[in-house]
């Protein structure tokens, strides 16, 4: 018998001072059996840090032809391709070319990923940010996630502050370029 995804319900309060985005919303996240809690947390953080009209989570690791997070315009055209994890350069190239705008959120040490991208062909690689968080932050915050949690996500001056059901964490948002610069 195949394992099914575990559904999580998050109530999120977002305050992104760096972008001037403030919102309260509910988010249902299907955690696939092969998906770690850290990977799922990075998907949620990517959704929050990229939050805009038309944003949606896909099936995550189960979505073979889509990124983890996608932004579509009113016509359904993809305008932002947001990968989570360690996507290969060809996938990032295709997403950047298709959407015209892409980002990668690493769920582990970004250095091996960046090394993979150095000589790779990636459409507008200098415009594709690779973002990462402190590993201890991800590990301890992911352990606090429950199937139903209240999250407060604040972003200011390149720092993310996360509150999960009253427990708090903070991390610098490390920013790199897919071009290696």
């Amino acid at each position: 018998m195949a394992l099914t995804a575990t559904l999580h319900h998050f109530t999120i309060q977002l305050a992104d001072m760096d972008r001037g985005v403030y919102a309260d919303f509910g988010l249902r996240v299907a955690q696939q059996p092969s998906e770690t809690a850290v990977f799922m947390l990075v998907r949620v953080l990517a959704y929050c840090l990229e939050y805009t009209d038309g944003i949606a989570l896909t099936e995550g690791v189960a979505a073979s032809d889509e990124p983890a997070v996608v932004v579509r315009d009113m016509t359904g055209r993809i305008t932002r391709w947001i990968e989570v994890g360690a996507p290969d350069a060809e996938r990032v190239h295709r997403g950047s070319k298709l959407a015209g705008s892409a980002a990668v959120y690493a769920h582990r040490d970004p250095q091996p990923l960046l090394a993979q991208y150095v000589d790779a062909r990636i459409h507008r690689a200098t415009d594709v940010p690779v973002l990462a968080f402190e590993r201890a932050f991800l590990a301890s915050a992911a352990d606090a996630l429950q199937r139903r949690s209240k999250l407060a996500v604040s972003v200011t001056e390149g720092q993310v502050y996360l509150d999960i059901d009253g427990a708090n964490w903070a991390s610098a948002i490390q920013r790199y370029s897919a071009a290696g610069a």
Side-chain angles (χ1 to χ4, degrees), residues 72-90:
R72 296 179 188 276
D73 65 13
M74 304 249 316
T75 67
R77 186 179 69 82
I78 296 174
T79 59
R80 184 114 168 113
W81 184 279
I82 305 155
E83 291 283 358
V84 172
D88 62 34
E90 182 179 318

Side-chain angles (χ1 to χ4, degrees), residues 4 13 20 23 28 40 42 44 51 53 55 74 76 87 101 127 130 132 151-152:
T4 59
Q13 183 178 44
R28 292 176 39 173
M40 182 183 66
V42 174
V44 171
Y51 188 81
D53 289 338
I55 195 165
M74 304 249 316
S101 176
D127 296 332
V130 176
L151 283 66

Side-chain angles (χ1 to χ4, degrees), residues 25-49:
F25 53 91
L27 189 62
R28 292 176 39 173
V29 182
Q31 181 182 8
Q32 301 300 325
S34 63
E35 184 176 10
T36 66
V38 168
F39 189 94
M40 182 183 66
L41 175 60
V42 174
R43 273 202 304 145
V44 171
L45 290 171
Y47 184 95
C48 292
L49 272 63

Side-chain angles (χ1 to χ4, degrees), residues 64-140:
S64 60
D65 290 339
E66 293 182 309
V69 182
V70 66
V71 178
R72 296 179 188 276
D73 65 13
M74 304 249 316
T75 67
R77 186 179 69 82
I78 296 174
T79 59
R80 184 114 168 113
W81 184 279
I82 305 155
E83 291 283 358
V84 172
D88 62 34
E90 182 179 318
R91 186 173 172 90
V92 176
H93 169 75
R94 184 171 52 92
S96 178
K97 195 167 185 175
L98 174 72
S101 176
V104 176
Y105 284 80
H107 73 301
R108 295 189 182 129
D109 178 9
Q111 294 308 319
L113 184 62
L114 295 168
Q116 174 192 336
Y117 293 166
V118 168
D119 293 323
R121 187 174 132 230
I122 298 176
H123 181 73
R124 297 178 51 194
T126 56
D127 296 332
V128 177
V130 176
L131 301 115
F133 306 95
E134 296 165 13
R135 293 183 72 183
F137 160 81
L138 291 175
S140 60

